[in-house]
């Protein structure tokens, strides 16, 4: 399993603004997932995008995947204070393998 | 909504003592995981478990660690002789066929 590298490390925005986080990885993948973690809590799955998909939506979340650039982005639209959390990407080479998490992006949404 | 439950939420132990961390995965899930997160660091994979045996383990998961599914519902992580550096949050996760892992709220282990 490979680790994704999230960028930026920290992001601070005002409520109502959009937040964009990026993820880069090194080798070919089967799919890529995004998780969030509120401070001191377990991770919560947000969205999974397969290698043959380019874009996926779920509520206020929009994920893109560019396999040629080995990168993904997570866009949160109309952010809320409750979106404050750390966000992690988890690229998977083989479906069902361990998830490997990086340092994440710490998002702070100011009310 | 079904969830993964972990007990206790906080465990304090003396160095050298054995601890057992307990997890109840989601009932129809077949794959189980333990991860840990040392304070201020990233979440690290420890072990995965399927069909009553370990399917993968990390270099962290040495002989001091063991996992067990003693009955149809519980999944436990045992640390035989705790060290100070075992202090961390321990997360259990489970999944069905697709690799969307559902995490518990964690057990904070404090080794004194």
């Amino acid at each position: 399993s490979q680790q994704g590298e999230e960028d930026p490390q920290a992001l601070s925005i005002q409520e109502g603004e959009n937040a964009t986080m990026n993820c880069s990885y090194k080798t070919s993948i089967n799919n890529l997932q995004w998780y969030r973690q509120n401070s001191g809590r377990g991770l919560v799955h947000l969205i999974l995008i397969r290698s043959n998909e380019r874009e996926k939506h779920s509520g206020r979340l929009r994920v893109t995947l560019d396999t040629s650039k080995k990168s993904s982005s997570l866009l949160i639209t109309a952010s809320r204070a409750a979106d404050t959390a750390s966000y992690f990407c988890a690229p998977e080479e083989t479906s069902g393998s361990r998830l490997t998490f990086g340092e994440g992006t710490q998002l702070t949404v100011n009310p | 909504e079904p969830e993964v439950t972990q007990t206790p939420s906080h465990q304090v132990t003396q160095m050298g003592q054995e601890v057992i961390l307990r997890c109840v995965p989601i009932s129809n899930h077949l794959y189980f995981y333990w991860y840990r997160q040392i304070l201020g660091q990233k979440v690290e994979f420890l072990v995965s478990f399927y069909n009553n045996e370990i399917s993968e383990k990390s270099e962290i998961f040495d002989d001091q660690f063991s996992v067990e599914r003693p009955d149809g519902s519980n999944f436990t992580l045992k640390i035989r002789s705790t060290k100070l550096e075992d202090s961390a949050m321990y997360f259990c996760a489970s999944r069905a066929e697709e690799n969307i892992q559902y995490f518990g709220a964690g057990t904070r282990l404090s080794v004194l």
Side-chain angles (χ1 to χ4, degrees):
Chain A
S1 177
Q2 64 175 304
Q3 176 180 306
E5 299 289 341
E6 296 89 357
D7 175 69
Q9 288 186 340
L11 180 61
S12 181
I13 59 174
Q14 294 301 122
E15 212 164 25
E17 293 180 341
N18 295 342
T20 299
M21 289 157 271
N22 302 297
C23 168
S24 59
Y25 56 91
K26 292 188 168 53
T27 63
S28 297
I29 60 169
N30 188 47
N31 63 57
L32 184 142
Q33 302 186 52
W34 284 90
Y35 284 78
R36 74 176 252 171
Q37 183 183 31
N38 288 75
S39 181
R41 305 287 292 174
L43 289 91
V44 175
H45 176 264
L46 295 176
I47 199 163
L48 180 152
I49 186 165
R50 301 186 195 288
S51 59
N52 62 352
E53 297 176 306
R54 291 295 166 258
E55 188 171 312
K56 202 162 180 181
H57 296 252
S58 176
R60 294 184 294 113
L61 305 181
R62 174 178 165 249
V63 168
T64 63
L65 180 64
D66 187 336
T67 52
S68 66
K69 294 181 179 176
K70 295 185 171 55
S71 67
S72 174
S73 68
L74 171 68
L75 169 68
I76 304 174
T77 60
S79 64
R80 305 167 183 164
D83 295 328
T84 294
S86 292
Y87 292 81
F88 302 88
C89 66
E92 280 194 270
E93 293 163 10
T94 308
S95 185
S97 58
R98 64 163 83 172
L99 294 178
T100 303
F101 298 98
E103 304 292 339
T105 292
Q106 172 60 52
L107 173 67
T108 303
V109 182
N110 301 299
Chain B
E1 185 174 321
E3 59 179 19
V4 175
T5 56
Q6 291 186 243
T7 55
S9 57
H10 189 192
Q11 174 83 52
V12 182
T13 189
Q14 295 291 325
M15 192 170 55
Q17 294 296 305
E18 174 184 287
V19 294
I20 298 176
L21 309 183
R22 302 182 191 279
C23 170
V24 179
I26 294 173
S27 63
N28 63 337
H29 286 185
L30 300 175
Y31 301 83
F32 314 111
Y33 304 82
W34 283 100
Y35 293 81
R36 79 170 187 191
Q37 185 176 32
I38 295 170
L39 185 63
Q41 298 185 22
K42 54 190 179 184
V43 176
E44 302 173 289
F45 167 80
L46 290 177
V47 66
S48 58
F49 192 86
Y50 171 70
N51 201 25
N52 281 322
E53 60 182 27
I54 290 173
S55 46
E56 189 179 6
K57 60 183 181 179
S58 72
E59 53 281 357
I60 302 169
F61 193 88
D62 61 21
D63 291 345
Q64 291 300 311
F65 292 88
S66 62
V67 289
E68 194 177 34
R69 188 154 162 82
D71 53 42
S73 59
N74 290 286
F75 179 51
T76 62
L77 174 69
K78 182 193 291 187
I79 309 176
R80 286 192 184 80
S81 178
T82 50
K83 309 186 198 70
L84 294 176
E85 54 264 38
D86 293 328
S87 294
M89 283 289 284
Y90 288 81
F91 296 107
C92 172
S94 70
R95 69 171 177 95
E97 283 303 323
E98 190 165 47
N99 197 21
I100 294 174
Q101 296 186 23
Y102 295 83
F103 285 75
T107 293
R108 182 188 301 174
L109 177 64
S110 300
V111 182
L112 306 178

